[in-house]
Amino acid sequence: AQSVTQLDSQVPVFEEAPVELRCNYSSSVSVYLFWYVQYPNQGLQLLLKYLSGSTLVKGINGFEAEFNKSQTSFHLRKPSVHISDTAEYFCAVDSGGSNYKLTFGKGTLLTVNP
Amino acid sequence: EAQVTQNPRYLITVTGKKLTVTCSQNMNHEYMSWYRQDPGLGLRQIYYSMNVEVTDKGDVPEGYKVSRKEKRNFPLILESPSPNQTSLYFCASSENRVRRNQPQHFGDGTRLSIL
């Protein structure tokens, strides 16, 4: 069975500071990995995805994530955050099994303060 | 504009009164899914559909029904709602789940309160 652990439920940072949101997964097979962002009162939007190839993946709004197979991690980073990045971020994994299931982590609330 | 549309966005109702939350997508996607989002639990899948007339249970299907008579629509039915179904619900779709690199597109959510 696949599972996703987002290590921090809340991450407060100051504007223009760097940020890392941590995600670890468990799966017995190869995975596809995703980060989604949810702004207040909205649905989820795809930030970036890892399917194969380069382990460093770039997404929208200046975010990037690095896939580390040995540590089963897919941490999300941004070198300088803005107030507008305040949102909840979800890591998700699809292990490609026959149940066609996308498993989400519990989310990390990023709060950017002025 | 490509989108997933859910209705209603907000609903307050009482225990036992049947309700339906509609979901429609205009992207000709084969795969559709329903999730519920609860604080501290993230998103949990309720039901999914690989294509017309093909549906299957997710992680938390109890108390819910779905149907997929047309490709674009995937309604979620609560036959006898109970307070523990108070939650934020999301519908999502993707082009084809067999090709797993297709990300899911989400609706804006439906906030249900069951009194």
Side-chain angles (χ1 to χ4, degrees), chain A residues 32 34 36 38 41-44 46 49 51 88 90 94-102 104-107, chain B residues 9-10 31 35 37 40-43 45 48 50 59 88 90 97-98 100-104 106-109:
Chain A
Y32 300 100
F34 304 84
Y36 285 84
Q38 184 181 29
N41 298 315
Q42 294 186 26
L44 280 71
L46 181 69
K49 60 185 178 182
L51 307 176
E88 190 149 26
F90 292 93
D94 183 347
S95 66
S98 59
N99 59 1
Y100 302 101
K101 181 179 171 181
L102 191 64
F104 286 85
K106 295 181 179 180
Chain B
R9 291 291 312 279
Y10 304 91
Y31 179 90
Y35 298 89
Q37 182 181 15
L41 297 178
L43 278 81
Q45 189 180 52
Y48 66 93
M50 296 293 290
D59 292 322
L88 179 58
F90 288 101
R97 289 302 285 144
V98 176
R100 284 184 150 79
N101 59 355
Q102 303 302 315
Q104 295 191 26
F106 285 80
D108 284 338

